[in-house]
Amino acid sequence: MVIERAGVVGSGLMGSGIAEVLARAGLDVVVRDISEQAVDAGRARIEKSLARGVERGKLSEDERDAAVARLHYTVDMKDFADRQLIIEAASENEDIKKAIFAELDAIVTAEDAILASNTSSMPIIRFAQSTSRADRVLGIHFFNPATVQPLVELVVSELTDPQVVDTVESFVTDVLGKVAIRATDRPGFVVNALLIPFLFSAIRMIEAGHATKEDVDTGMVNGCAHPMGPIALADRVGLDTCLFVGQSIYEETGDPAAKPPVLLSRMVDAGMLGVKSGRGFYDYSAK
Ligand code: 3HC
């Protein structure tokens, strides 16, 4: 199966990054969000990132123009009808995602189309069971920023056809140039099962007054060669996303390390979501 026509559901932080990766790899991409406003924000994010890619010498102006021409924006799910691979990157809400998978199942015509979710931690099997083709559903989990982070986790549910996983693994490595790892359909898969307890430990450390956020971040950057400290990383991932992922791991496993710190919940209640809202642990309003 040669995948040439892709779709991305959701043009937020991850959806726009995934759409950009696909278009840069030469695919024709339909990007859908629920309102014109959301679609316009996604388009602006992608075009800004493509411009940054040109500035950094990662792609030429011609390649940027070709990528822009391969991206089609819509608010209509029916525009996914002829797609061969669709990656859902909507908000981390199980009911919303299940409804999207049920709708895609009714719309997408090719029997061998692959339906994927970029969920950070929700069970893939629940989305698969919302369709009549559970064997063709899997998790394709990108990392933020999707254009820069090489990793893609392939999440294999109890019902995913092994041939679908092989097809997607070849696609993400050979066509997208990413590094793939496989994970079973368990909370947090591989990376978030390790990352979220780490981020939460850092937040608890500042909540307890044990160290300042700046010192926690300086410590991990300079002591362990992390590209950014855990508090800055939580802001970049999005504090709401960190909260949802922690809740979803904690609900299923009861692991206290994944229990969201109270400080994190309160900040999300306050609309302090990190970089995307202009304020999280740090202030981004000037940038
Ligand atoms: N297109 C292509 N390349 C780009 C780009 C773009 N739009 N923007 C930046 N780049 C490239 C740069 O050219 C540079 O490449 P080089 O190393 O070859 O020169 C590289 O990306 C780094 O870019 P910058 O120099 O602008 O930025 P920094 O060096 O400050 O790095 C960062 C920023 C990439 C965010 C880095 O701090 C980092 O990797 N942080 C950790 C991020 C992380 O851990 N992400 C995972 C989060 S977990 C997740 O997503 C899972 C979810 O489910 C929660």
Side-chain angles (χ1 to χ4, degrees), residues 25 39 47 73 118 133 159 162 210 230 244 255:
V39 164
E47 292 184 0
Y73 300 88
N118 180 60
R133 36 181 135 184
L159 298 179
H210 185 63
F244 296 147
D255 178 357

Side-chain angles (χ1 to χ4, degrees), residues 24 49 56 58 120 141 143-144 148-149 192 195 228:
R24 279 167 67 164
S49 173
R56 298 303 191 93
K58 300 290 174 188
S120 297
H141 183 212
F143 290 79
N144 179 20
V148 177
Q149 303 301 339
N192 280 332
L195 178 66
M228 66 204 305

Side-chain angles (χ1 to χ4, degrees), residues 12 21 34 65 75 78 80 99 136-137 142 167 193 224 246 267 269:
V21 168
I34 49 174
D65 294 344
V75 291
K78 293 197 186 68
F80 288 131
R136 305 202 67 79
V137 176
F142 289 79
T167 301
C224 296
M267 290 178 71
D269 290 339

Side-chain angles (χ1 to χ4, degrees), residues 203-282:
I203 296 170
R204 283 194 195 95
M205 198 174 264
I206 61 172
E207 193 173 30
H210 185 63
T212 64
K213 58 181 184 289
E214 291 83 1
D215 281 354
V216 169
D217 281 349
T218 302
M220 295 313 292
V221 170
N222 292 280
C224 296
H226 287 200
M228 66 204 305
I231 303 297
L233 180 56
D235 270 356
R236 177 174 266 271
V237 166
L239 300 189
D240 51 344
T241 303
C242 292
L243 180 66
F244 296 147
V245 178
Q247 278 166 340
S248 124
I249 299 174
Y250 181 65
E251 268 165 28
E252 277 209 293
T253 64
D255 178 357
K259 187 175 179 189
V262 173
L263 175 61
L264 178 69
S265 301
R266 288 298 171 278
M267 290 178 71
V268 173
D269 290 339
M272 297 164 71
L273 307 182
V275 178
K276 66 184 166 189
S277 74
R279 191 170 162 209
F281 287 99
Y282 295 96

Side-chain angles (χ1 to χ4, degrees), residues 23-24 50 54 57-70:
R24 279 167 67 164
L50 285 168
V54 172
K58 300 290 174 188
L59 75 169
S60 68
E61 290 188 0
D62 286 350
E63 285 165 338
R64 176 204 53 202
D65 294 344
V68 168
R70 285 192 285 264

